[in-house]
Amino acid sequence: MQRLLQQRKGPKSINPGASFASPLKVLLLHLTCGLSLASAFWVANNFYSLTLIQNSAQTLRILWAVEALVVILVYGLFRHNPDQCSYVKAIARGLLGLPVGALVNALGAIVLGAPVGIQHFTKTLHWSFLMSVFTFVPATSVYGSCWSDWHRIFAHTKPIGSTDLMICLPAHGAIIGAWFGAWPMPLDWERQWQEWPICVTYGAILGYLVGMIVSFGFVVFHNRQEHGKVD
């Protein structure tokens, strides 16, 4: 019993929010975010007759606007130190993280070869905001600007609990998916979906969804391990 109490007071107690996000809560969060993304596609197609291939900039604008609203509201519920950080403050942190993350993603994409020019500016802008929703916004809503948490999740990729997992894995999945999605761009197939940033967006969304599924699997596995230790 004494050893069990010592384990609970160990490094995992540094991040209380990471220890108490149950698998059911993580599942509901991922379902909400995934369904909001699907709803944004539906709204763009049925209300505005927009598709990502034919109207990439306008479609991306609807996608990130809808998804950002849902992600900020939902992830704010899992904020770190809720006694010291109100829900409104968590929402404000998410809103501030949105343009910062967009700037970082835009610079990263340009460094890695994204086309530069006035004709590509709007597409890159809205794509960067969508990537910010996938990567930066959840972390800013939960942890704010806490460098140690960001360093642990993104620099070292060492999540210590379920909250870390539901932030870290979808974000990494979106980045990896975007990278793989860029592969067809230089090929001479002359397909419209090869243009920037259409295939990259599809890759990012697929990676984001896969990251959600994997993170939920890890949370379930981690939860069973914790119950096994208690028993």
Side-chain angles (χ1 to χ4, degrees):
M1 186 57 141
Q2 186 176 1
R3 294 180 64 183
L4 179 60
L5 291 173
Q6 289 176 351
Q7 287 178 356
R8 289 185 175 178
K9 293 178 182 179
K12 291 187 180 181
S13 63
I14 297 174
N15 190 350
S19 302
F20 297 106
S22 67
L24 178 59
K25 289 181 179 179
V26 175
L27 176 62
L28 290 175
L29 179 141
H30 287 331
L31 282 176
T32 302
C33 294
L35 289 174
S36 69
L37 196 59
S39 300
F41 270 109
W42 185 84
V43 168
N45 188 23
N46 289 275
F47 283 86
Y48 300 100
S49 300
L50 301 174
T51 64
L52 188 58
I53 295 178
Q54 299 290 337
N55 320 95
S56 56
Q58 298 92 324
T59 305
L60 284 168
R61 180 175 57 195
I62 294 174
L63 292 180
W64 75 254
V66 173
E67 187 72 0
L69 176 63
V70 174
V71 166
I72 292 173
L73 292 176
V74 173
Y75 274 90
L77 298 172
F78 294 86
R79 62 196 180 278
H80 185 47
N81 290 332
D83 294 334
Q84 300 177 9
C85 175
S86 67
Y87 183 58
V88 174
K89 184 178 179 180
I91 292 175
R93 295 190 311 197
L95 291 172
L96 289 174
L98 182 60
V100 175
L103 178 61
V104 173
N105 279 282
L107 293 176
I110 292 171
V111 169
L112 293 175
V116 179
I118 296 178
Q119 69 272 27
H120 300 292
F121 175 78
T122 306
K123 296 179 182 179
T124 302
L125 175 68
H126 293 305
W127 176 85
S128 300
F129 271 101
L130 181 63
M131 288 298 294
S132 179
V133 174
F134 291 161
T135 55
F136 267 67
V137 173
T140 54
S141 298
V142 175
Y143 294 122
S145 58
C146 181
W147 172 248
S148 60
D149 291 315
W150 282 76
H151 200 255
R152 181 185 69 253
I153 295 174
F154 293 110
H156 291 297
T157 318
K158 292 183 178 179
I160 62 172
S162 54
T163 303
D164 284 4
L165 287 168
M166 70 186 191
I167 294 172
C168 172
L169 296 182
H172 281 80
I175 295 171
I176 295 171
W179 184 71
F180 275 107
W183 282 20
M185 287 181 60
L187 302 179
D188 58 351
W189 296 343
E190 297 181 357
R191 303 289 184 180
Q192 191 173 0
W193 57 265
Q194 290 178 262
E195 297 179 2
W196 167 261
I198 300 171
C199 55
V200 178
T201 302
Y202 279 125
I205 291 173
L206 179 60
Y208 179 63
L209 296 176
V210 171
M212 286 183 178
I213 296 171
V214 174
S215 70
F216 174 68
F218 271 104
V219 169
V220 172
F221 177 75
H222 175 76
N223 189 65
R224 288 181 178 178
Q225 277 193 324
E226 290 299 317
H227 281 298
K229 290 178 182 179
V230 173
D231 295 338

